[in-house]
Amino acid sequence: MDIRSVNPAAPSDVVAEIASTTPDELEKILDAAVDAQLGWARTTPSRRAAVMGAIAAGLAASSDELVALIVREEGKTVAEATVEVIKSAEQFTFAAQLAYMVEGTQFPEEEPGTAAYTLRSPLGVVGAITPWNFPLSLPARKLAAALAVGNAAVFKPSPVVAAAGDRLVRIINDAGMPAGLLGLVQGADPATMAALAGDPRLRAVTFTGSDGVGERLAGSLHRFARIQMELGGRNAAVVAADADLKRAATDIAKAAFGQAGQTCTATDRVLVERSVADRLTEMLSARVSELVVGPGVRPDVSFGPVATAEQKSRLEAVFASARHAGCRLLAQGRIAEDVDPDGYWVAPVLYGDVPADHRLLREEMFGPVLSIVAVDSVAEAVRDINADGHGLVAALHTASLTTASRFARDVRCGLVKINGRTTGNGVAPPFGGWRASSSGAFPEGGRQAIDFFTETKTVYSTYD
Ligand code: NAD
């Protein structure tokens, strides 16, 4: 069974046709990974760090080609894809440092003459399964940390961005990685997926994707596999009455509509204090009306198409249900002239008067749509956020340090932004959601990645 990825701005443009990995091929990939991992785990940190550095350099050297591929296969603008390539290289630069940070602890001797200390060892072979919305930087965050601390990895990209996955693996392997250490599984053939999940050689899976697939995957994994899952988001931006409204409107529009809203950290609702709701609505409406959707290669567009035909039809169903429920269309952007009529275009929309139980306020939107809700206080907004099942990121715009500090303390999310966009994150701080946005005790990124990708051994050594 072949998988095929297409250009969402011109779906007749086929980007790649790649054969789906079969269970037999997976078996060989796992065998090779097990063999290669033993040697790799014993290499010095300086060797692993050097390879990580060479991968970062390889990504930077291929930047133009990678940007063009991401724009063509996933639909980002050139500016968005450029940021993604830079970020992907940075993940490997950062991971070079992780190679040196795998540390143990020495304990006081409870039995005189017997030293007790811990060693941390790589897990062995780990799986990395990723969605289409960041075809390079999401796999980069997972693979860089896993490989830097001595693991082998089996990487399964989304079929929607199969060519980008293939290119990333070639760049990594060309940078001096031992043969077989990084395996590539293409497609999502059910038999191959079941074989991967059930194979006891797979010591951990780091997954990013939808709630439903994450839940099914967690249920099918063998019971000794460690799990790290980054799932859906439903992210609010709260605007207090004392906020710099102009700056808040700019940040919110960027976080809601950048990348056609297809980021797990996108803002999908604004909770604004009632006294400034009209002014903020006016500012946001002006910004949304100026947005233009078109092919990511064109410099005059605000963002590109949505990535798949399924995304487009799902969002159209959301808009139809909003009309039916009497939601007020406050502002709408436009689709550029002269685009391919078959492209997956979705014009950005801003809604008000949304019933509290409508899907606009209850489901992950993952598209260029934003709703505004007036609230009586920041405390009410925090209660609303905490009542939601998801808990990835929440932002607050305020001039008050007290309001900001209380918000950061009280909101039940993995990431908090004060006077900033819900989107965007660094490579060194941990990244992860709470509650339904995650599953498993380990956030991604930062030094904490070592905890997920290694295990502890306690050694008692009697010398006297
Ligand atoms: P998806 O869940 O459909 O797919 C994710 C990956 O899982 C893909 O590689 C897919 O092929 C694979 N997959 C499908 N069935 C599988 C199976 N049975 N076993 C193993 N793997 C399987 O998600 P998507 O549509 O590609 O991406 C969009 C979703 O990703 C959104 O819900 C978004 O919120 C989420 N996301 C979350 C984060 C985060 O950090 N929290 C970041 C980006 C995207």
Side-chain angles (χ1 to χ4, degrees), residues 75-143:
K76 284 192 174 73
T77 63
V78 168
E80 290 166 347
T82 303
V83 171
E84 180 166 359
V85 175
I86 291 168
K87 195 63 143 207
S88 307
E90 213 182 332
Q91 295 288 359
F92 285 94
T93 304
F94 176 74
Q97 300 172 54
L98 292 180
Y100 291 94
M101 291 182 190
V102 182
E103 297 164 344
T105 308
Q106 174 101 38
F107 299 88
E109 289 182 13
E110 293 178 39
E111 178 105 21
T114 297
Y117 58 94
T118 57
L119 296 173
R120 290 197 80 92
S121 318
L123 293 174
V125 182
V126 302
I129 302 178
T130 51
W132 45 260
N133 66 329
F134 286 100
L136 280 194
S137 63
L138 277 179
R141 183 164 62 206
K142 295 175 187 303
L143 296 174

Side-chain angles (χ1 to χ4, degrees), residues 130-133 156 159 207-210 213 230-231 264 364 366 431:
T130 51
W132 45 260
N133 66 329
K156 200 210 87 58
F207 170 87
T208 299
S210 60
V213 172
E230 294 304 335
L231 306 169
C264 55
E364 179 180 47
F366 223 65
F431 177 93

Side-chain angles (χ1 to χ4, degrees), residues 354-394:
V354 180
D357 60 350
H358 191 267
R359 56 194 295 200
L360 280 170
L361 298 179
R362 295 287 155 240
E363 289 175 18
E364 179 180 47
M365 282 299 114
F366 223 65
V369 49
L370 178 67
S371 303
I372 299 191
V373 178
V375 291
D376 289 330
S377 62
V378 172
E380 182 190 334
V382 170
R383 281 197 296 278
D384 179 284
I385 292 167
N386 290 350
D388 197 286
H390 288 88
L392 185 53
V393 48

Side-chain angles (χ1 to χ4, degrees), residues 395-432:
L396 171 67
H397 297 268
T398 182
S400 160
L401 179 61
T402 304
T403 310
S405 306
R406 285 186 183 148
F407 183 83
R409 181 195 63 195
D410 295 339
V411 82
R412 294 175 60 212
C413 291
L415 300 155
V416 176
K417 299 287 190 82
I418 304 297
N419 293 321
R421 292 178 281 119
T422 52
T423 51
N425 54 279
V427 295
F431 177 93

Side-chain angles (χ1 to χ4, degrees), residues 29 56 61 66 79 89 109 111 151 179 208-209 215 226 263 304 308 314 325 329 347 374 382 404 415 425 458:
I29 289 170
L66 291 169
E109 289 182 13
E111 178 105 21
N151 294 288
T208 299
E215 202 174 306
R226 195 176 274 190
T263 63
T308 63
R314 183 182 58 79
L329 184 64
V382 170
L415 300 155
N425 54 279
T458 304

Side-chain angles (χ1 to χ4, degrees), residues 119-123 203 226 450-451 453-457:
L119 296 173
R120 290 197 80 92
S121 318
L123 293 174
R203 296 292 322 283
R226 195 176 274 190
I450 297 172
D451 296 336
F453 287 118
T454 63
E455 59 193 344
T456 298
K457 183 184 288 170

